[in-house]
C-alpha cells in the first residue's frame, strides 16, 4: 500500500513538472475608491501586491471605474483612468457607470486609456462597427503563454446610450471565440460587467450560461456589477470569479497549462484582502493617488455618534439604519407621505466621528435630484412585491412592511402607510431620487407612472439633503430598524 501511494505521489509530481503557471489579477467596480478605508484597500495596496508577486501577469478589470467618489466624479472618470494607467492594467470592459456622464463622457475615457478596452457586444449606432479604441478581444503573451481575453459590456447603461448600441452577449462571445480559436491560444478568459447571481437587480444574468454553453472553450469568467465575491465556482469546467468592489480585495487567478502541448489544464482563484498591515502600499502609487485628491473635500458637515451601517444587525429586518435615515431625510424634504430609497445608491457605511464632504460623496456619489408623484395603493403593492426578493432593493420612510418568504414567493404581505393598511384605489404622495423615479435600474416599476405625473423638485439632491441632515441633527445616531420585516 505504501509503495502504491508513493507511486501515486511521484505520478502527480511528474505531471506538475510539465505544467506551466500563469497568474491573472482581477478587480471590478473600483468606482474611484483610490485610497484605503479603515486600513484596507486602495490602488497603492494593489500596486504593492503586484510588485511582490510574479514578474509576468495580467491585470484585468470588469468595469465601473468611471464614477463613485469625488475624484472620479469631478474628472468624469479621467482620474480613474490615469491611476489605472499608472498601475499598468492590461484590459477592462465597459460597465453601466461608464455612462454616468452620458455619451459625451465616453469618448474622453476611451481616448485616455492606455490599455485595452474589450467589449465584443458594443457598437456605434451609425456604423454598426466597434468604436475607435474598442476591440472584441486581445491576445496577450504572458511569458510564452497565449491568453485570449474577450470583453462583454453591460447592456444597461445608467444613461441612455444614444451614440452606441449593445449586441446580445452570448452571440458576440460566440463570434469572438471563433476568431480566437483560429489563433492557437492556450487559455480563454472572459471579462464581463455582469454577475453570476444578480440578486441586486432582481434578475439572474446570463453569465452562468457562458459555462453551460461554452464549457471547454472558455476557461475563466471574471465578473462584476453586483459587488459580490465569488471564488472557485465552476460551471461545466469553467471557473467563475468575482472580486467585490472598491478595491478592498483583488482576486489572484492561477492558470495551469501543459508545458509540452500548451493545452489548458486547470484554473483556481484566491481572494487577497488588501489589508495595509499585511500587503503594504507602493509609495510611488500612493503619492500619485494623493496628488489626484480633489480640494475642498474636508469640509465637515456634522458628526456621527457611532458607525451607522447600511445593514441591520437583526436578521429579520431588511432595512438598515443608514438607509432609514436617508429615506426619512428625503421624505421630510419632499413633504410626501412616502419616500422610496434604493439601497444600492448607498455605497458605504457612515463611520463614527466627523463627517466630511468626501464622506457624504462616498456614501452617495450621484447627483440625483428628488422627484415627487402621486400613486395609488395598487402601485405600492406592485412595487413592494417586485422589490422584496431575492433581497430587499428599497428602504421606505412612511411605510412599513411585513411578509413571509415561502420557497421564493411572497406570502402574508402587509403594507402600512401612516399605520393603516394600503388601499388599492387610495392615492398616496410619494418621492424618490430621480434615477429611480424615472425607471433606472431597479426602479423599473416606476416606468408605469407617466412622465408628466412626475415633478422634479428644484435645488434638492439626495446628497444635499444628507449634508443638511448632518448640519441639523448631529451627532447622528443609528435609527432602530424594523420597517421591513420577514417573518418565518
Amino acid at each position: 500500500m505504501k509503495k502504491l501511494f508513493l507511486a501515486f505521489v511521484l505520478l502527480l509530481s511528474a505531471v506538475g513538472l510539465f505544467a506551466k503557471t500563469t497568474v491573472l489579477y482581477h478587480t471590478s467596480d473600483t468606482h474611484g475608491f483610490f485610497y484605503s478605508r479603515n486600513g484596507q484597500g486602495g490602488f497603492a495596496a494593489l500596486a504593492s501586491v503586484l510588485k511582490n508577486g510574479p514578474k509576468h501577469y495580467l491585470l484585468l478589470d470588469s468595469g465601473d471605474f468611471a464614477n463613485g467618489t469625488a475624484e472620479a466624479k469631478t474628472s468624469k472618470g479621467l482620474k480613474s483612468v490615469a491611476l489605472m494607467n499608472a498601475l499598468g492594467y492590461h484590459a477592462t470592459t465597459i460597465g453601466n457607470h461608464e455612462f454616468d456622464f452620458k455619451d459625451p463622457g465616453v469618448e474622453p475615457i476611451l481616448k485616455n486609456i492606455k490599455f485595452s478596452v474589450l467589449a465584443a457586444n458594443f457598437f456605434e449606432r451609425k456604423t454598426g462597427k466597434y468604436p475607435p479604441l474598442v476591440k472584441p478581444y486581445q491576445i496577450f503573451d504572458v511569458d510564452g503563454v497565449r491568453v485570449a481575453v474577450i470583453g462583454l459590456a453591460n447592456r444597461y447603461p445608467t444613461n441612455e446610450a444614444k451614440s452606441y448600441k449593445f449586441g446580445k452577449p452570448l452571440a458576440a462571445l460566440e463570434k469572438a471565440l471563433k476568431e480566437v480559436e483560429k489563433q492557437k491560444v492556450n487559455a480563454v478568459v472572459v471579462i464581463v460587467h455582469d454577475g453570476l447571481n444578480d440578486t441586486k437587480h432582481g434578475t439572474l444574468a446570463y453569465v452562468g450560461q457562458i459555462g453551460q454553453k461554452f464549457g471547454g472553450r472558455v476557461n475563466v469568467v471574471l465578473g462584476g456589477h453586483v459587488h459580490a465575491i465569488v471564488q472557485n465556482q465552476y460551471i461545466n469546467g469553467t471557473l467563475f470569479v468575482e472580486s467585490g468592489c472598491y478595491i478592498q480585495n483583488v482576486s489572484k487567478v492561477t492558470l495551469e497549462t501543459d508545458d509540452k502541448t500548451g493545452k489548458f489544464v486547470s484554473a483556481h482563484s484566491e481572494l487577497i484582502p488588501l489589508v495595509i498591515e499585511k500587503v503594504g502600499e507602493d509609495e510611488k502609487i500612493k503619492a500619485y493617488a494623493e496628488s489626484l485628491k480633489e480640494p475642498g473635500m474636508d469640509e465637515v458637515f456634522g458628526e456621527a455618534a457611532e458607525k451607522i451601517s447600511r445593514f441591520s444587525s437583526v436578521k429579520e429586518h431588511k432595512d438598515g439604519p443608514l438607509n432609514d435615515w436617508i429615506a426619512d431625510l428625503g421624505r421630510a424634504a419632499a413633504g410626501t407621505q412616502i419616500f422610496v430609497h434604493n439601497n444600492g445608491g448607498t455605497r458605504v457605511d457612515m463611520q463614527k466621528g466627523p463627517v466630511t464632504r468626501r464622506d457624504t460623496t462616498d456614501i452617495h456619489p450621484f447627483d440625483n435630484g428628488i422627484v415627487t408623484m402621486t400613486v395609488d395603493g395598487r402601485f405600492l403593492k406592485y412595487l413592494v412585491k417586485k422589490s422584496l426578493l431575492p433581497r430587499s432593493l428599497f428602504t421606505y420612510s412612511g411605510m412599513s412592511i411585513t411578509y413571509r418568504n415561502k420557497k421564493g414567493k411572497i406570502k402574508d404581505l402587509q403594507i402600512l402607510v401612516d399605520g393603516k393598511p394600503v388601499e388599492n384605489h387610495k392615492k398616496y404622495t410619494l418621492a424618490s431620487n430621480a434615477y429611480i423615479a424615472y425607471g433606472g435600474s431597479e426602479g423599473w416599476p416606476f416606468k408605469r407612472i407617466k412622465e408628466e405625473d412626475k415633478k422634479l423638485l428644484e435645488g434638492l439632491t439626495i446628497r444635499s439633503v444628507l449634508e443638511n441632515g448632518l448640519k441639523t441633527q448631529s451627532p447622528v445616531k443609528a435609527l432602530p430598524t424594523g420597517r421591513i420585516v420577514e417573518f418565518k
Side-chain angles (χ1 to χ4, degrees), residues 8-27:
F8 179 69
V9 170
L10 290 172
L11 178 63
L12 287 178
S13 300
V15 171
L17 290 175
F18 299 108
K20 189 163 186 176
T21 297
T22 304
V23 169
L24 318 176
Y25 292 102
H26 175 253
T27 62

PDB file of all heavy atoms in Angstrom, residues 8-27:
ATOM      1  N   PHE A   8       1.835   6.992  -6.639  1.00  0.00           N
ATOM      2  CA  PHE A   8       0.816   7.992  -6.967  1.00  0.00           C
ATOM      3  C   PHE A   8       1.366   9.405  -6.785  1.00  0.00           C
ATOM      4  O   PHE A   8       1.173  10.291  -7.621  1.00  0.00           O
ATOM      5  CB  PHE A   8      -0.417   7.777  -6.087  1.00  0.00           C
ATOM      6  CG  PHE A   8      -1.507   8.769  -6.321  1.00  0.00           C
ATOM      7  CD1 PHE A   8      -2.226   8.765  -7.517  1.00  0.00           C
ATOM      8  CD2 PHE A   8      -1.823   9.715  -5.361  1.00  0.00           C
ATOM      9  CE1 PHE A   8      -3.233   9.677  -7.741  1.00  0.00           C
ATOM     10  CE2 PHE A   8      -2.825  10.637  -5.587  1.00  0.00           C
ATOM     11  CZ  PHE A   8      -3.534  10.611  -6.768  1.00  0.00           C
ATOM     12  N   VAL A   9       2.102   9.604  -5.685  1.00  0.00           N
ATOM     13  CA  VAL A   9       2.704  10.918  -5.417  1.00  0.00           C
ATOM     14  C   VAL A   9       3.718  11.274  -6.492  1.00  0.00           C
ATOM     15  O   VAL A   9       3.772  12.395  -6.993  1.00  0.00           O
ATOM     16  CB  VAL A   9       3.361  10.940  -4.021  1.00  0.00           C
ATOM     17  CG1 VAL A   9       4.186  12.220  -3.841  1.00  0.00           C
ATOM     18  CG2 VAL A   9       2.309  10.821  -2.936  1.00  0.00           C
ATOM     19  N   LEU A  10       4.537  10.295  -6.891  1.00  0.00           N
ATOM     20  CA  LEU A  10       5.532  10.531  -7.925  1.00  0.00           C
ATOM     21  C   LEU A  10       4.888  10.859  -9.267  1.00  0.00           C
ATOM     22  O   LEU A  10       5.375  11.695 -10.022  1.00  0.00           O
ATOM     23  CB  LEU A  10       6.441   9.299  -8.070  1.00  0.00           C
ATOM     24  CG  LEU A  10       7.409   9.043  -6.903  1.00  0.00           C
ATOM     25  CD1 LEU A  10       8.107   7.697  -7.080  1.00  0.00           C
ATOM     26  CD2 LEU A  10       8.427  10.170  -6.791  1.00  0.00           C
ATOM     27  N   LEU A  11       3.731  10.218  -9.537  1.00  0.00           N
ATOM     28  CA  LEU A  11       2.997  10.483 -10.770  1.00  0.00           C
ATOM     29  C   LEU A  11       2.491  11.921 -10.797  1.00  0.00           C
ATOM     30  O   LEU A  11       2.630  12.627 -11.806  1.00  0.00           O
ATOM     31  CB  LEU A  11       1.830   9.503 -10.922  1.00  0.00           C
ATOM     32  CG  LEU A  11       0.928   9.700 -12.157  1.00  0.00           C
ATOM     33  CD1 LEU A  11       1.756   9.476 -13.426  1.00  0.00           C
ATOM     34  CD2 LEU A  11      -0.250   8.726 -12.118  1.00  0.00           C
ATOM     35  N   LEU A  12       1.925  12.353  -9.670  1.00  0.00           N
ATOM     36  CA  LEU A  12       1.449  13.730  -9.580  1.00  0.00           C
ATOM     37  C   LEU A  12       2.596  14.719  -9.742  1.00  0.00           C
ATOM     38  O   LEU A  12       2.470  15.751 -10.404  1.00  0.00           O
ATOM     39  CB  LEU A  12       0.740  13.977  -8.237  1.00  0.00           C
ATOM     40  CG  LEU A  12      -0.647  13.345  -8.064  1.00  0.00           C
ATOM     41  CD1 LEU A  12      -1.171  13.648  -6.664  1.00  0.00           C
ATOM     42  CD2 LEU A  12      -1.613  13.859  -9.114  1.00  0.00           C
ATOM     43  N   SER A  13       3.736  14.399  -9.145  1.00  0.00           N
ATOM     44  CA  SER A  13       4.896  15.281  -9.249  1.00  0.00           C
ATOM     45  C   SER A  13       5.369  15.378 -10.682  1.00  0.00           C
ATOM     46  O   SER A  13       5.747  16.447 -11.167  1.00  0.00           O
ATOM     47  CB  SER A  13       6.028  14.757  -8.364  1.00  0.00           C
ATOM     48  OG  SER A  13       5.620  14.714  -7.017  1.00  0.00           O
ATOM     49  N   ALA A  14       5.323  14.232 -11.380  1.00  0.00           N
ATOM     50  CA  ALA A  14       5.746  14.230 -12.777  1.00  0.00           C
ATOM     51  C   ALA A  14       4.833  15.082 -13.625  1.00  0.00           C
ATOM     52  O   ALA A  14       5.277  15.836 -14.503  1.00  0.00           O
ATOM     53  CB  ALA A  14       5.780  12.791 -13.311  1.00  0.00           C
ATOM     54  N   VAL A  15       3.518  14.998 -13.368  1.00  0.00           N
ATOM     55  CA  VAL A  15       2.557  15.831 -14.089  1.00  0.00           C
ATOM     56  C   VAL A  15       2.853  17.302 -13.835  1.00  0.00           C
ATOM     57  O   VAL A  15       2.846  18.145 -14.735  1.00  0.00           O
ATOM     58  CB  VAL A  15       1.105  15.490 -13.675  1.00  0.00           C
ATOM     59  CG1 VAL A  15       0.143  16.500 -14.264  1.00  0.00           C
ATOM     60  CG2 VAL A  15       0.745  14.076 -14.146  1.00  0.00           C
ATOM     61  N   GLY A  16       3.166  17.630 -12.561  1.00  0.00           N
ATOM     62  CA  GLY A  16       3.460  19.007 -12.202  1.00  0.00           C
ATOM     63  C   GLY A  16       4.680  19.557 -12.920  1.00  0.00           C
ATOM     64  O   GLY A  16       4.777  20.751 -13.199  1.00  0.00           O
ATOM     65  N   LEU A  17       5.633  18.657 -13.240  1.00  0.00           N
ATOM     66  CA  LEU A  17       6.834  19.110 -13.925  1.00  0.00           C
ATOM     67  C   LEU A  17       6.535  19.673 -15.303  1.00  0.00           C
ATOM     68  O   LEU A  17       7.282  20.490 -15.834  1.00  0.00           O
ATOM     69  CB  LEU A  17       7.818  17.938 -14.050  1.00  0.00           C
ATOM     70  CG  LEU A  17       8.485  17.463 -12.749  1.00  0.00           C
ATOM     71  CD1 LEU A  17       9.328  16.227 -13.040  1.00  0.00           C
ATOM     72  CD2 LEU A  17       9.343  18.564 -12.141  1.00  0.00           C
ATOM     73  N   PHE A  18       5.443  19.213 -15.918  1.00  0.00           N
ATOM     74  CA  PHE A  18       5.097  19.624 -17.273  1.00  0.00           C
ATOM     75  C   PHE A  18       3.997  20.684 -17.303  1.00  0.00           C
ATOM     76  O   PHE A  18       3.437  20.955 -18.343  1.00  0.00           O
ATOM     77  CB  PHE A  18       4.687  18.402 -18.111  1.00  0.00           C
ATOM     78  CG  PHE A  18       5.778  17.374 -18.238  1.00  0.00           C
ATOM     79  CD1 PHE A  18       5.689  16.161 -17.572  1.00  0.00           C
ATOM     80  CD2 PHE A  18       6.905  17.636 -19.001  1.00  0.00           C
ATOM     81  CE1 PHE A  18       6.701  15.222 -17.688  1.00  0.00           C
ATOM     82  CE2 PHE A  18       7.922  16.696 -19.121  1.00  0.00           C
ATOM     83  CZ  PHE A  18       7.823  15.479 -18.452  1.00  0.00           C
ATOM     84  N   ALA A  19       3.665  21.246 -16.158  1.00  0.00           N
ATOM     85  CA  ALA A  19       2.628  22.271 -16.091  1.00  0.00           C
ATOM     86  C   ALA A  19       3.263  23.643 -15.947  1.00  0.00           C
ATOM     87  O   ALA A  19       4.228  23.830 -15.205  1.00  0.00           O
ATOM     88  CB  ALA A  19       1.690  22.006 -14.925  1.00  0.00           C
ATOM     89  N   LYS A  20       2.728  24.597 -16.688  1.00  0.00           N
ATOM     90  CA  LYS A  20       3.215  25.973 -16.605  1.00  0.00           C
ATOM     91  C   LYS A  20       2.157  26.837 -15.932  1.00  0.00           C
ATOM     92  O   LYS A  20       0.964  26.716 -16.220  1.00  0.00           O
ATOM     93  CB  LYS A  20       3.541  26.509 -17.992  1.00  0.00           C
ATOM     94  CG  LYS A  20       4.255  27.854 -17.968  1.00  0.00           C
ATOM     95  CD  LYS A  20       4.916  28.171 -19.285  1.00  0.00           C
ATOM     96  CE  LYS A  20       5.744  29.444 -19.180  1.00  0.00           C
ATOM     97  NZ  LYS A  20       6.481  29.731 -20.421  1.00  0.00           N
ATOM     98  N   THR A  21       2.596  27.710 -15.054  1.00  0.00           N
ATOM     99  CA  THR A  21       1.679  28.541 -14.268  1.00  0.00           C
ATOM    100  C   THR A  21       1.639  29.964 -14.819  1.00  0.00           C
ATOM    101  O   THR A  21       2.687  30.572 -15.078  1.00  0.00           O
ATOM    102  CB  THR A  21       2.135  28.582 -12.794  1.00  0.00           C
ATOM    103  OG1 THR A  21       2.073  27.259 -12.256  1.00  0.00           O
ATOM    104  CG2 THR A  21       1.223  29.492 -11.980  1.00  0.00           C
ATOM    105  N   THR A  22       0.427  30.481 -14.979  1.00  0.00           N
ATOM    106  CA  THR A  22       0.218  31.866 -15.418  1.00  0.00           C
ATOM    107  C   THR A  22      -0.723  32.546 -14.434  1.00  0.00           C
ATOM    108  O   THR A  22      -1.764  31.977 -14.067  1.00  0.00           O
ATOM    109  CB  THR A  22      -0.385  31.919 -16.829  1.00  0.00           C
ATOM    110  OG1 THR A  22       0.456  31.190 -17.721  1.00  0.00           O
ATOM    111  CG2 THR A  22      -0.514  33.355 -17.314  1.00  0.00           C
ATOM    112  N   VAL A  23      -0.389  33.759 -14.019  1.00  0.00           N
ATOM    113  CA  VAL A  23      -1.176  34.461 -12.995  1.00  0.00           C
ATOM    114  C   VAL A  23      -1.944  35.631 -13.613  1.00  0.00           C
ATOM    115  O   VAL A  23      -1.396  36.420 -14.388  1.00  0.00           O
ATOM    116  CB  VAL A  23      -0.265  34.970 -11.855  1.00  0.00           C
ATOM    117  CG1 VAL A  23      -1.020  35.920 -10.925  1.00  0.00           C
ATOM    118  CG2 VAL A  23       0.274  33.784 -11.050  1.00  0.00           C
ATOM    119  N   LEU A  24      -3.224  35.718 -13.239  1.00  0.00           N
ATOM    120  CA  LEU A  24      -4.067  36.863 -13.573  1.00  0.00           C
ATOM    121  C   LEU A  24      -4.502  37.529 -12.270  1.00  0.00           C
ATOM    122  O   LEU A  24      -4.813  36.846 -11.300  1.00  0.00           O
ATOM    123  CB  LEU A  24      -5.325  36.422 -14.325  1.00  0.00           C
ATOM    124  CG  LEU A  24      -5.228  35.350 -15.411  1.00  0.00           C
ATOM    125  CD1 LEU A  24      -6.617  35.019 -15.927  1.00  0.00           C
ATOM    126  CD2 LEU A  24      -4.341  35.833 -16.549  1.00  0.00           C
ATOM    127  N   TYR A  25      -4.554  38.844 -12.261  1.00  0.00           N
ATOM    128  CA  TYR A  25      -5.137  39.579 -11.138  1.00  0.00           C
ATOM    129  C   TYR A  25      -6.406  40.257 -11.650  1.00  0.00           C
ATOM    130  O   TYR A  25      -6.452  40.746 -12.778  1.00  0.00           O
ATOM    131  CB  TYR A  25      -4.177  40.622 -10.588  1.00  0.00           C
ATOM    132  CG  TYR A  25      -2.962  40.047  -9.900  1.00  0.00           C
ATOM    133  CD1 TYR A  25      -1.731  40.018 -10.546  1.00  0.00           C
ATOM    134  CD2 TYR A  25      -3.034  39.540  -8.614  1.00  0.00           C
ATOM    135  CE1 TYR A  25      -0.597  39.496  -9.928  1.00  0.00           C
ATOM    136  CE2 TYR A  25      -1.922  39.021  -7.978  1.00  0.00           C
ATOM    137  CZ  TYR A  25      -0.706  38.990  -8.640  1.00  0.00           C
ATOM    138  OH  TYR A  25       0.400  38.481  -8.018  1.00  0.00           O
ATOM    139  N   HIS A  26      -7.424  40.311 -10.790  1.00  0.00           N
ATOM    140  CA  HIS A  26      -8.718  40.833 -11.230  1.00  0.00           C
ATOM    141  C   HIS A  26      -9.323  41.791 -10.214  1.00  0.00           C
ATOM    142  O   HIS A  26      -9.325  41.525  -9.002  1.00  0.00           O
ATOM    143  CB  HIS A  26      -9.713  39.685 -11.455  1.00  0.00           C
ATOM    144  CG  HIS A  26     -11.093  40.152 -11.792  1.00  0.00           C
ATOM    145  ND1 HIS A  26     -12.156  40.070 -10.906  1.00  0.00           N
ATOM    146  CD2 HIS A  26     -11.597  40.747 -12.913  1.00  0.00           C
ATOM    147  CE1 HIS A  26     -13.240  40.556 -11.479  1.00  0.00           C
ATOM    148  NE2 HIS A  26     -12.929  40.984 -12.686  1.00  0.00           N
ATOM    149  N   THR A  27      -9.833  42.928 -10.718  1.00  0.00           N
ATOM    150  CA  THR A  27     -10.634  43.858  -9.927  1.00  0.00           C
ATOM    151  C   THR A  27     -11.921  44.163 -10.690  1.00  0.00           C
ATOM    152  O   THR A  27     -12.038  43.881 -11.882  1.00  0.00           O
ATOM    153  CB  THR A  27      -9.889  45.180  -9.671  1.00  0.00           C
ATOM    154  OG1 THR A  27      -9.615  45.818 -10.936  1.00  0.00           O
ATOM    155  CG2 THR A  27      -8.594  44.951  -8.921  1.00  0.00           C
TER     156      THR A  27
END
